[in-house]
Amino acid sequence: MTICCTLIACKKIDVNFIYAPDAPRAGEKVQFTNQSSSGENWEWTFGDGSTSTLKSPSHTYKRPGTYRVILKVDKKNSLTATKELTVYDTVPTFTCTDTTFYIFKDYTFTACVYNPYNYDVKYEWYKPENPEGLQSPYMVVTDTTWKASTLHLYFTRPMTKAPLLGLRVILDDDTTYIEKEFEVLNRTTNSIALLTSDEGYYRQRIFGDRAERAKEDMSAAVQLEIEQDTAQTYNGYLFTLSELSAVFPGLQGFHIANRKIYYRMDGLWVANIDGAYPVEIDERSCFAMTLDTKDNRIYWANEEGVWYMPFVGSDNNKFVSTPVLLNTMTNVIKLAADGEPK
């Protein structure tokens, strides 16, 4: 009897469901049929904020779009089934799962074309002219084609509502044009302050692996006046340029973080704080450098522009990260990482 109970308890529950119709339209009832092999408790999430605890519920989507439907059995995360369901309109349209848009965030737009007879469909995304007179690029497409049913992009500047994205759909020789407007919001982030040789002050905001263009900004002067790379207190000890020059002959400037010293000396170098394992990061003359200890990055300026890369983490200072070009400003003589969101 114990063996039988154990076998029953270990019997695998298969979780699955189907829905009809296969290509529902907005306002049309969708019937979900639970095909799970067992279970006593049902939790449905329909992807539009609605839920149900019925075994086989029905649901009506009010808007076209692609929704992620999840069925969970007996309140166990291991017993779930997930399917993507596309709700169409009677006329072609396109949607995005996000309803609020910010600069420098990735978004996916999906064409929704009701096509029960499987006609040939062609998609052509485009950027229409808009009343704000924005110059390209106010958006950047991150995939390689404008002719697929989905489009991946991010916006590069905040904008009030204007027709910012369009789609041309050719279905069985019938052509439909769709244009939509979005309000793209600004957002706070850390920034890099820059001083050029002609005494121009700039600020460039950094959004993860992307950045907006450097803009003239006198508020950067305050941070740049504080910034210097000739002395730094680290772990209660004051390190000075003159003192470190005995270990690093020809030293021009330095910053210390995470028991590493990054320094300018006929190029950009990194070493352990005791001077061991010096490794050259960039052989070109380094005009300025700074560390961002919040995002763990080093920024430096040379004859080609301003670059950045993650902090070096290995004991022997070997690194695999590839430096990334932040901008092509060739006359930057001072940099400062601004920890205050702007």
Side-chain angles (χ1 to χ4, degrees):
M1 183 173 180
T2 301
I3 295 174
C4 290
C5 292
T6 302
L7 291 174
I8 292 173
C10 294
K11 184 179 180 181
K12 186 176 182 299
I13 297 178
D14 293 323
V15 182
N16 192 24
F17 65 90
I18 59 174
Y19 60 87
D22 293 334
R25 289 176 287 177
E28 183 177 13
K29 184 172 70 174
V30 181
Q31 179 63 53
F32 294 91
T33 302
N34 192 332
Q35 294 187 323
S36 302
S37 59
S38 184
E40 296 180 354
N41 181 274
W42 323 100
E43 296 180 17
W44 293 85
T45 302
F46 297 114
D48 62 350
S50 300
T51 60
S52 176
T53 57
L54 298 178
K55 182 177 181 180
S56 296
S58 62
H59 182 65
T60 300
Y61 291 91
K62 297 179 180 180
R63 298 177 180 176
T66 299
Y67 299 92
R68 191 167 182 246
V69 182
I70 303 174
L71 167 61
K72 181 189 291 187
V73 176
D74 291 341
K75 299 183 178 182
K76 295 182 179 180
N77 292 330
S78 59
L79 299 178
T80 61
T82 303
K83 293 186 179 182
E84 298 285 341
L85 182 153
T86 299
V87 177
Y88 299 89
D89 203 342
T90 53
V91 295
T93 187
F94 63 87
T95 62
C96 182
T97 54
D98 298 88
T99 57
T100 304
F101 300 94
Y102 295 92
I103 57 174
F104 293 102
K105 291 190 69 174
D106 291 306
Y107 297 102
T108 298
F109 292 87
T110 304
C112 298
V113 180
Y114 186 62
N115 186 20
Y117 302 107
N118 293 319
Y119 291 134
D120 289 336
V121 185
K122 294 181 180 179
Y123 308 94
E124 295 179 5
W125 300 87
Y126 61 92
K127 294 184 291 185
E129 295 182 1
N130 61 84
E132 292 195 3
L134 297 173
Q135 299 297 315
S136 179
Y138 59 85
M139 68 172 68
V140 175
V141 175
T142 55
D143 53 11
T144 57
T145 179
W146 288 71
K147 297 184 181 297
S149 60
T150 59
L151 189 70
H152 308 281
L153 59 84
Y154 63 89
F155 298 103
T156 61
R157 66 189 72 180
M159 293 166 281
T160 56
K161 289 186 177 180
L164 300 175
L165 185 62
L167 173 64
R168 177 173 177 249
V169 176
I170 304 175
L171 174 64
D172 192 30
D173 295 328
D174 288 333
T175 301
T176 303
Y177 288 91
I178 311 107
E179 291 186 0
K180 292 194 175 184
E181 61 183 21
F182 310 98
E183 181 179 12
V184 182
L185 304 177
N186 210 336
R187 60 188 177 118
T188 58
T189 185
N190 291 340
S191 63
I192 297 296
L194 308 96
L195 173 63
T196 61
S197 56
D198 57 0
E199 297 187 350
Y201 291 94
Y202 294 83
R203 185 178 299 283
Q204 188 162 16
R205 295 193 299 168
I206 315 298
F207 299 85
D209 291 330
R210 299 182 182 129
E212 67 181 8
R213 293 183 178 181
K215 300 177 182 178
E216 289 193 71
D217 187 345
M218 285 303 299
S219 71
V222 176
Q223 189 69 20
L224 286 162
E225 288 175 4
I226 300 172
E227 177 75 7
Q228 51 78 32
D229 60 358
T230 57
Q232 180 182 346
T233 299
Y234 183 76
N235 283 350
Y237 184 82
L238 178 63
F239 291 84
T240 64
L241 187 68
S242 57
E243 178 186 24
L244 290 172
S245 294
V247 181
F248 305 100
L251 182 67
Q252 298 169 350
F254 69 93
H255 282 283
I256 300 173
N258 300 345
R259 301 194 62 79
K260 305 286 184 184
I261 178 170
Y262 299 85
Y263 55 99
R264 299 186 291 120
M265 186 182 67
D266 297 328
L268 179 65
W269 293 75
V270 61
N272 293 346
I273 197 170
D274 60 0
Y277 299 107
V279 173
E280 190 172 34
I281 296 175
D282 190 339
E283 64 182 8
R284 294 164 293 189
S285 295
C286 182
F287 307 144
M289 60 165 290
T290 189
L291 300 186
D292 182 352
T293 55
K294 179 180 172 72
D295 291 332
N296 291 329
R297 284 179 174 176
I298 175 173
Y299 292 85
W300 70 97
N302 62 25
E303 60 191 14
E304 292 189 7
V306 177
W307 299 75
Y308 70 89
M309 64 176 283
F311 283 174
V312 177
S314 62
D315 291 337
N316 60 5
N317 298 317
K318 299 296 183 182
F319 60 92
V320 296
S321 301
T322 301
V324 177
L325 183 64
L326 178 68
N327 63 50
T328 55
M329 299 174 66
T330 58
N331 59 342
V332 173
I333 58 174
K334 199 172 185 181
L335 291 167
D338 194 342
E340 296 295 325
K342 300 294 182 182

